Amino acid sequence: MKISVALAAYKGEQYIAEQIDSILSQLGENDEIIVSDDYPQGKTREIVLNRQSQDKRIKYIEGSGKGVVKNFENALKACSGDIIFLSDQDDVWLPGKVEKVTAEITAGADLVLHDASVTDAALKITNPSYFSVIGSNLSFSGNLIKNTFVGCCMAFSRQVMLDALPFPEGLPMHDWWIALVALKKHRKAVLLREPLILWRRHGGNVTGGKTSLSQKIRWRIKLILSLARIR
């Protein structure tokens, strides 16, 4: 089965080469990395295009400049694989990630969420298990209240991707939406309790900011209304 990696980039020049290399080492010759760049006037473009000239599995496309959710949607729409992995621009995939996740999907899973070791900017581990922090689970109602799905730790079948696209306007985050759609449609989801990436947390992360209570309430109302249209 063909693997596609949807990587959303935004001013990612500091770490993206290291991330791409950690991914490519695990892919087959017919797999692909789709890099959607939401700041194509920056240095990320040059780095990715240079890598693309050396490896045909890398495909660079420009994002819409409308934020991380739209950027991931843009990357996903360009994916042609049977198994889709989501990727941030600044992490490192640990050896065996693709093999272990693909084995679960080949065995019948539609969506896989694996653990991550949280690190600082220099990849020094600050918490060996993000699952232990967030309490990751596969409950639809529980994840509607508190999202425990993290995109950089997710992979899913093409059917799950098609179920979730196009994204409704005003989504809080892409990973939350994809997970809830899969769980609502009773797709088979699996938790892998092994850390398969080094999840780099630093001052320049695009995701992970704080939100107000009123914003959290509005997001959940939006999700409930959008999910009600899913059949």
Side-chain angles (χ1 to χ4, degrees):
M1 289 193 287
K2 181 177 180 179
I3 292 169
S4 293
V5 180
L7 192 161
Y10 178 79
K11 297 183 179 180
E13 57 269 12
Q14 186 171 3
Y15 302 115
I16 197 168
E18 184 179 17
Q19 171 68 314
I20 287 175
D21 288 346
S22 77
I23 297 171
L24 285 174
S25 65
Q26 302 187 46
L27 298 185
E29 62 179 1
N30 295 318
D31 299 332
E32 63 183 7
I33 303 176
I34 307 296
V35 179
S36 180
D37 185 4
D38 232 16
Y39 192 75
Q41 62 269 43
K43 296 179 181 179
T44 300
R45 180 190 186 100
E46 179 182 353
I47 293 169
V48 177
L49 288 178
N50 179 58
R51 286 271 190 301
Q52 181 179 277
S53 70
Q54 302 168 32
D55 196 314
K56 64 180 178 62
R57 295 174 294 177
I58 302 170
K59 300 178 182 179
Y60 176 92
I61 59 176
E62 292 188 7
S64 63
K66 295 181 179 179
V68 63
V69 175
K70 286 293 184 182
N71 201 21
F72 267 108
E73 182 179 30
N74 190 53
L76 287 170
K77 286 180 175 178
C79 289
S80 61
D82 306 295
I83 300 174
I84 316 297
F85 285 76
L86 299 179
S87 174
D88 291 344
Q89 64 190 5
D90 40 16
D91 304 324
V92 171
W93 286 17
L94 294 173
K97 169 182 160 91
V98 170
E99 180 182 5
K100 291 171 183 176
V101 171
T102 300
E104 293 291 339
I105 295 178
T106 302
D110 295 297
L111 184 150
V112 176
L113 177 69
H114 65 73
D115 203 353
S117 290
V118 184
T119 80
D120 61 15
L123 294 181
K124 180 180 178 181
I125 293 177
T126 57
N127 192 310
S129 170
Y130 185 66
F131 275 13
S132 69
V133 176
I134 197 68
S136 296
N137 64 85
L138 300 178
S139 165
F140 174 80
S141 58
N143 278 283
L144 184 59
I145 296 169
K146 177 187 176 182
N147 180 38
T148 66
F149 281 79
V150 183
C152 60
C153 299
M154 288 172 61
F156 39 84
S157 66
R158 185 167 189 83
Q159 184 58 60
V160 167
M161 183 186 77
L162 295 176
D163 289 342
L165 291 176
F167 290 167
E169 292 296 324
L171 286 181
M173 281 305 293
H174 60 289
D175 46 13
W176 200 1
W177 171 251
I178 294 168
L180 288 175
V181 170
L183 293 174
K184 181 183 178 184
K185 292 182 74 69
H186 302 292
R187 304 298 185 192
K188 183 180 179 182
V190 171
L191 287 181
L192 281 180
R193 298 190 178 278
E194 178 181 357
L196 296 179
I197 68 167
L198 299 178
W199 189 24
R200 193 182 333 237
R201 308 304 291 160
H202 55 88
N205 289 101
V206 175
T207 60
K210 295 182 179 180
T211 54
S212 67
L213 176 60
S214 61
Q215 180 63 71
K216 291 177 179 178
I217 292 171
R218 287 195 296 270
W219 278 345
R220 283 156 180 79
I221 292 172
K222 172 64 182 178
L223 285 168
I224 290 169
L225 292 175
S226 297
L227 288 164
R229 302 187 185 100
I230 298 292
R231 295 290 183 268

